[in-house]
Amino acid sequence: EFAASIIKLGADDYILKDRLTRLPSAIEAALKKKKSDDLLRQQQDQNRFKASLLATVGQAIISTDLDGSVTYWNDAAEKIYGWTASEAIGKNIVNLTPAAIEKDSANDIMTDLKRGNSWSGEILAKRKDGSIFPAFVTDSPVYNQQDEMTGIIGVSTDISERKNTEQELKEMEQKILSQKIQEQ
């Protein structure tokens, strides 16, 4: 009973005095367990650190499985697209982010990504409220340690400001050109 209560409290093993021959193997097992626990804690710390990095990036980072179901949705994705992570996770990405006119193109991109190819480009995206905006997106396949493709990660940025600035520059160029023509 005493041995059972000590182990319940956190002891790795309990050895009776008349069975000291078990001591070396018990010490070895305890050291292996300690090393394994330390490694697990270290991996968990690294995963938390990586997750905090992804959460603080100013670009939308969205991860999907190979079927297109969202598995990760960072804070910037919430701000850009309007869907909370809990609303987006489990939903198909093609139904969440591309504008209706881009859905066929999005399906083609997903097919290409499933073949292991990366893709970057501009698309028209939609927010939860239905508003459409231009986005620059980079999608890449994700592989596990056995080099098997397990999903897709996408990084997207709302480029509305840039597009507006480009349009303003074009309009200014046209205006300047018109003025020069009038002057001549």
Side-chain angles (χ1 to χ4, degrees):
E1 285 179 23
F2 179 72
S5 66
I6 292 295
I7 288 175
K8 282 181 185 176
L9 291 173
D12 289 331
D13 204 344
Y14 183 85
I15 300 173
L16 298 171
K17 288 181 187 178
D18 63 341
R19 297 196 180 122
L20 289 178
T21 55
R22 281 187 2 110
L23 185 60
S25 63
I27 291 172
E28 216 172 276
L31 290 173
K32 280 183 184 176
K33 184 179 183 300
K34 169 79 169 120
K35 191 175 185 177
S36 173
D37 289 349
D38 288 347
L39 184 62
L40 179 62
R41 192 170 9 302
Q42 195 175 36
Q43 287 174 337
Q44 288 171 337
D45 288 346
Q46 286 177 350
N47 287 343
R48 273 192 290 281
F49 176 70
K50 290 174 185 175
S52 71
L53 287 177
L54 291 176
T56 59
V57 171
Q59 296 170 307
I61 298 177
I62 302 167
S63 177
T64 69
D65 62 17
L66 292 176
D67 294 325
S69 293
V70 175
T71 57
Y72 179 80
W73 188 271
N74 76 343
D75 293 345
E78 288 186 4
K79 289 176 187 145
I80 292 172
Y81 292 101
W83 300 92
T84 65
S86 60
E87 292 172 321
I89 291 176
K91 302 269 185 341
N92 192 291
I93 192 70
V94 174
N95 296 328
L96 287 177
T97 59
I101 56 175
E102 297 280 352
K103 284 197 180 187
D104 288 338
S105 180
N107 284 322
D108 292 343
I109 292 167
M110 285 296 289
T111 301
D112 204 32
L113 288 165
K114 287 179 187 179
R115 292 185 186 126
N117 300 318
S118 293
W119 181 87
S120 286
E122 292 180 13
I123 65 165
L124 290 177
K126 73 172 179 185
R127 293 183 177 87
K128 181 180 178 181
D129 66 10
S131 61
I132 307 292
F133 66 97
F136 185 81
V137 180
T138 299
D139 292 326
S140 299
V142 175
Y143 296 91
N144 63 15
Q145 291 177 337
Q146 291 76 34
D147 208 28
E148 301 164 332
M149 191 176 356
T150 58
I152 296 161
I153 189 161
V155 179
S156 57
T157 305
D158 180 347
I159 57 171
S160 298
E161 272 187 50
R162 188 183 92 197
K163 288 295 195 180
N164 289 339
T165 303
E166 287 174 1
Q167 184 61 35
E168 287 172 8
L169 282 172
K170 282 181 185 177
E171 288 171 5
M172 286 173 79
E173 287 173 354
Q174 285 295 90
K175 199 173 189 180
I176 291 170
L177 185 61
S178 294
Q179 285 176 349
K180 285 186 178 185
I181 290 172
Q182 283 180 351
E183 288 173 5
Q184 289 178 349

